[in-house]
């Protein structure tokens, strides 16, 4: 399947759709998931047009991993979760719904289940407040 640049993350990268931004560099962008599965659920995407891990060069993937590690540390500190999950879904069969590769950073607590995937829109003011705390922890 060829990369389709009408996906929502491509639109966010082009500035055609909004996002609650956490971090940006030459190769990557990080923003709050608009339908979070837990408080502080953050996404990291590469700027290259790639659907899956298989479509990326090792250098581009390394940039995604580097930003993911940085964001994970900031999210854990800012949100104060004892656990943290990092997920990447490749293919609809794996549950992928947006076909521009991305990593999920999801805080986890003992005894608190994650919410369902991509179901319930969050209050943008709450996401803005969380993003500000995460940015301050970077
Ligand atoms: P996937 O299922 O592809 O691994 O994850 C896509 C993620 O993108 C989901 O967690 C979903 O909540 C999130 N998402 C979908 N549309 C938007 C959007 O317009 N803005 C943001 N910030 N996140 C989105």
């Amino acid at each position: 399947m060829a990369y389709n640049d009408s996906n929502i993350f491509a639109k966010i990268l082009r500035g055609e759709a909004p996002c609650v931004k956490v971090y940006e560099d030459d190769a990557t962008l990080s923003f709050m998931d608009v339908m979070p599965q837990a408080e502080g659920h953050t996404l990291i995407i590469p700027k290259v047009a790639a659907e899956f891990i298989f479509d990326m060069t090792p250098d581009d993937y390394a940039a995604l991993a580097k930003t993911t590690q940085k964001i994970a540390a900031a999210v854990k500190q800012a949100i104060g979760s004892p656990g943290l999950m990092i997920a990447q879904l490749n293919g609809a069969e794996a549950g992928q719904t947006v076909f521009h590769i991305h990593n999920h950073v999801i805080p986890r607590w003992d005894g608190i289940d994650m919410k369902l995937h991509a179901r319930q829109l969050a209050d943008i003011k709450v996401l803005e407040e969380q993003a500000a705390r995460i940015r301050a922890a970077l």
Side-chain angles (χ1 to χ4, degrees):
M1 192 160 70
Y3 182 83
N4 180 344
D5 71 1
S6 66
N7 74 75
I8 185 64
F9 293 171
K11 288 180 181 170
I12 288 172
L13 279 172
R14 292 195 297 268
E16 295 168 8
C19 72
V20 178
K21 194 193 286 191
V22 170
Y23 173 82
E24 181 169 15
D25 61 22
D26 288 349
T28 61
L29 176 68
S30 177
F31 50 90
M32 303 309 294
D33 194 305
V34 82
M35 292 173 272
Q37 292 184 256
E39 180 188 353
H41 183 167
T42 306
L43 300 172
I44 304 95
I45 71 174
K47 291 188 174 177
V48 291
E51 279 179 288
F52 310 123
I53 187 173
F54 319 108
D55 304 325
M56 297 182 77
T57 66
D59 281 351
D60 287 336
Y61 196 74
L64 178 64
K66 191 173 169 189
T67 299
T68 300
Q69 187 180 37
K70 185 185 183 86
I71 297 300
V75 167
K76 190 172 190 308
Q77 186 185 323
I79 303 298
S81 63
L84 194 96
M85 184 173 113
I86 294 174
Q88 180 190 106
L89 312 181
N90 284 278
E93 301 80 359
Q96 187 177 5
T97 57
V98 177
F99 292 91
H100 180 113
I101 187 174
H102 49 279
N103 284 346
H104 297 257
V105 167
I106 307 178
R108 298 300 309 270
W109 291 262
D110 196 20
I112 300 182
D113 289 337
M114 285 195 303
K115 293 185 192 159
L116 290 176
H117 184 58
R119 284 291 170 86
Q120 198 179 350
L121 277 172
D123 180 338
I124 295 297
K125 282 197 170 63
V126 171
L127 297 184
E128 293 277 11
E129 183 270 331
Q130 291 170 358
R133 279 159 53 205
I134 296 166
R135 284 195 299 269
L138 278 168

